[in-house]
Amino acid sequence: IPPSKIKDPPGESCCYEPVHIRVTGLPPFQVVTLKASLKDDKGDLFQSKAFYRANEAGEVDLEQAPALGGDYVGVHPMGLFWSLKPEKAFWRLLKHDVLNTPFWVTLDVYDSICSQYSAIIQPSASQVVQRWFSGPGVQRKQIREGRVRGALFLPPGEGPFLGVIDLFGAIGGLVEFRASLLAARGFAVLALAYFDYEDLPEELLEVDLEYFEEAANLLLAHPKIQRPGIGVISMCKGAEIALAMACYLKQAVAIVCINGFTAVMGVPLRYKDLVVTPIRPEMERVQVHASGALSYCHCYGDPRDKLNGQSVLPVEKAQSRLLFIVGEDDEFIRSKLYAEQAMDRLRSHGRSHGRVLVYPSAGHLIDPPYAPLCFASRVRGLPRPFLWGGDPAAHAAAQEHAWGEIQKFFRQHLIQNRSKFFCKL
Amino acid sequence: MVQLTATPVIALVDEPVHIRATGLTPFQIVTLHASLKDEKGNMFYSRAYYRANEVGEVDLERDSSLGGDYTGVHPMGLIWSLKPEKLLTRLLKTDVMNSPFQVQVKLHELDFLLNNKPISAPKASLTLERWYVAPGVTRIRVREGRLRGALFLPPGEGRFPGVIDLFGGIGGLLEFRAGLLASRGFVSLALAYCDYDDLPPQPEITDLEYFEEAANFLLRHPKVHGPGIGVVSTCKGAEIGLSMGIHLKQITATVLINGTPFVFEVPQVYRGQIYPPVPPSIQLVAINTLGLTEFYRMFEETQIIASQSFLPIEKAHGHFLFIVGEADKNVNSKRHAELATDRLRRNGKSNWTLLSYPGAGHLIEPPYSPLCPASGLRALSSSVHWGGEVIPHAAAQEHSWKEIQKFLRKHLISTVTSQL
């Protein structure tokens, strides 16, 4: 019997690229098990598996064959990747070293049904695939200029490149994986920290918009960055900050807000003399999920409530283009509610520079394509995990679609901006 | 002065408690926090946030929880929403006779409890005792012939209807439901059938004669009033209970909770008649978003209706009560009950009642038992998802427990009076 083989192109790929997995040399019509596993930067194990039936030629082609059971069901060529689950409960898959090492994903085929209740057998075929968080020639530069703290990712070449600031949420610290991936797609990206990193304050007690203005000016001053405007990609609390940048600053001309607030939340926003009072979160409205994870989405108030009027961001003042990306099953923020409120406000002021993409059954953590759905995880060492929500297959589809839309949006509106600028001369 | 009261402080686990707080500031938001330590030292916690009314009172029978482990008006919410500190731990009482579960209820200022321990000291507190047996219930260890288990007798003179209590493939001996049934006036035999005492850890067959021996043992007991006895059974126990109802004339009332009308895992044997198990389709086992294993699709593709594994339920003379958790992720309880009731209908039988509960999971237990969504050994990857949503599951437990007792009394006691 010829040994079964896993065929897929490049052993190395960028993790936003799909992988075509095909297995050959199996007994015809045999039900087999495909498994994927990886260890993260800290050595924690993530695994997934699915059961497939080989066809009459003894092949399983993941682009055509439906999974019968396991971590997902149906035809999902990248299912083994986005359904990876941690061995340690409530652990999120995050790459910290984004340039120097990939994730090594081991793909195993077992030519029978392999569950945790069956005897341990050896796989009949195995292959390791490298999934990189960056591309050839991308460079990383640690940024410590003025107050600005973060990391700048530059694509290879002379440029000029479209500049983007990348803001994550209340997780704090510096999250780099999205910035490095966008750099592999040709953008110059500043992953910007704003608290709990280096000499930045440990807790976020207020949002000082001048810090973000300094970061935007720093990016624009770089010789390889396209002027006069930059983009911002942002998530959660970062999206509230990005929207404030759109309303009060002029450097950011294309803003992507993923599952964020459209009002000042929790801590005040300051820009020079302006102080915007925040909505006070009602922590008594937290809801505990059956798993013990905490759903906060009812704690953050309603932006349409007149009592919150002074905190809602004046999006009609923004000169930039806005793209709201919403996971409808977001358990952390009622993102749809906030995005719709902002869109209504734009419309009522006769502004049409906003757009919203709503993804049914997608959760809070809309990451680049094929990132495993993290349904709940611990944040900043707090003992009770936060519930993020999402249905795995729908969330995966949302990530794939959103990634394309985000790049199109930046290319369309940052380049247009440049041509607008030239036209004015 | 802030006061916290509960009525009654000492009660059976299936009795509700009325919790109230007085002496608060009007409209103040407070935290009610409950904690319990099980016999192994595992901690369970719950909390809810309430707003006091204009006279500074909170009444759990009237007021709505704003958030926490439950929202809405749920007088017993603090108890049934208790959650383990250690993931996947199930709340189970092993010694039901000698000690209750003690539930500490504490009232705090609005305290955002990020972890389980409050930041400030409580303003008031009390301890509830939750017992699985009423005063006067006696327990007798059973080691007769092959039989292994525990017999619970209600207090008082006279005779009572008898019930055999069967749990599922968990094995061992679970006594808590039998203790409660005895407290409610039934002579209850908690019967072990695997992995207990000198019983085999994993029997290769289910020998129905063992259960016949148990039925006869119960009927012989001087405190049991025949001629019929009942069975309360869950999961694998319900497959056995169904068979008892079919083959043993003594069984006149059978409660089947989230079971199967067909034989699975190992064959069932009764006096030479063999029912083979339905082969499982392991490739249909699913892993959910949290990494828990769900078995409920395992028999989805199997042709059950025509198979020899499908138990001939129409041959039973007694009555059946099917209890279905529609959100059961361990067995496809709804489909299984439909298979059984369809077969009964096709044979012109109407000796059954079906109670189907949306949002209820596999482990439908007596009222106020906290929902255990999954249990397992060390790793998530080897744990089993039972299913169920906290609030509807609690409602299902409350409702079904009353219905189970009504059903047993109707079909066991009426046969008694008809003898007079």
Side-chain angles (χ1 to χ4, degrees), chain B residues 189-212:
Chain B
L189 172 62
L191 183 65
Y193 55 94
C194 69
D195 200 24
Y196 180 75
D197 202 341
D198 53 355
L199 293 172
Q202 273 178 331
E204 285 173 356
I205 59 158
T206 303
D207 179 5
L208 213 60
E209 290 187 70
Y210 173 81
F211 301 88
E212 184 171 37

Side-chain angles (χ1 to χ4, degrees), chain A residues 31 49 51 53 68-71 73 85 89-90 113 116-117 283-292 294 296 373 375 382-384 390 392, chain B residues 29 47 49 66-69 71 83 87 110 112 114-116 282-291 293 295 297 373 380-382 384 390:
Chain A
V31 178
K49 69 167 175 275
F51 305 109
R53 191 185 303 275
L68 306 170
D71 280 275
V73 171
K85 298 197 174 66
F90 304 121
I113 301 169
Q116 70 263 36
Y117 303 100
M283 293 323 236
E284 64 273 12
R285 294 201 184 268
V286 70
Q287 291 188 14
V288 186
H289 183 253
S291 65
L294 303 176
Y296 286 95
L373 169 68
F375 187 72
L382 294 169
R384 298 291 286 261
Chain B
I29 298 180
R47 83 191 103 124
Y49 300 100
L66 303 169
D69 284 89
T71 52
K83 295 188 179 66
L87 210 59
L110 174 58
F112 181 53
L114 279 172
N115 53 22
N116 295 311
I282 302 178
Q283 71 273 18
L284 299 181
V285 171
I287 297 162
N288 84 343
T289 10
L290 284 170
T293 306
F295 288 99
R297 291 186 59 219
L380 270 184
S381 56
S382 55
V384 177
V390 178

Side-chain angles (χ1 to χ4, degrees), chain A residues 149-332:
Chain A
R149 300 291 176 265
L152 178 64
F153 291 87
L154 283 175
E158 287 311 304
F161 305 108
L162 302 178
V164 174
I165 291 180
D166 186 318
L167 290 172
F168 269 87
I171 192 178
L174 186 64
V175 184
E176 304 186 19
F177 68 88
R178 189 171 58 195
S180 59
L181 282 171
L182 277 171
R185 299 296 295 157
F187 297 89
V189 189
L190 172 61
L192 182 63
Y194 52 100
F195 76 104
D196 196 25
Y197 183 76
E198 292 196 346
D199 55 348
L200 292 172
E202 216 182 292
E203 295 292 332
L204 187 67
L205 297 173
E206 64 161 25
V207 172
D208 177 7
L209 217 54
E210 286 190 85
Y211 172 80
F212 300 88
E213 186 168 41
E214 208 182 311
N217 288 336
L218 183 70
L219 192 59
L220 278 166
H222 194 287
K224 287 190 178 178
I225 305 294
Q226 184 61 55
R227 274 170 276 271
I230 53 157
V232 181
I233 181 167
S234 59
M235 164 123 191
C236 192
K237 180 74 179 172
E240 173 202 318
I241 296 170
L243 203 58
M245 290 172 77
C247 296
Y248 299 111
L249 311 176
K250 51 184 181 357
Q251 297 88 335
V253 298
I255 317 268
V256 175
C257 297
I258 303 171
N259 289 327
F261 299 113
T262 55
V264 175
M265 179 61 61
V267 297
L269 176 84
R270 212 161 40 85
Y271 181 56
K272 299 192 173 147
D273 292 331
L274 172 74
V275 177
V276 182
T277 47
I279 297 177
R280 183 194 78 89
E282 296 166 285
M283 293 323 236
E284 64 273 12
R285 294 201 184 268
V286 70
Q287 291 188 14
V288 186
H289 183 253
S291 65
L294 303 176
S295 171
Y296 286 95
C297 65
H298 296 280
C299 299
Y300 298 121
D302 189 334
R304 290 175 213 258
D305 188 341
K306 289 194 170 50
L307 291 172
N308 293 328
Q310 55 193 341
S311 311
V312 173
L313 289 166
V315 287
E316 69 280 3
K317 288 193 189 161
Q319 294 300 312
S320 41
R321 307 291 296 208
L322 305 170
L323 175 62
F324 296 99
I325 294 190
V326 166
E328 248 186 344
D329 277 6
D330 189 341
E331 288 280 352
F332 187 67

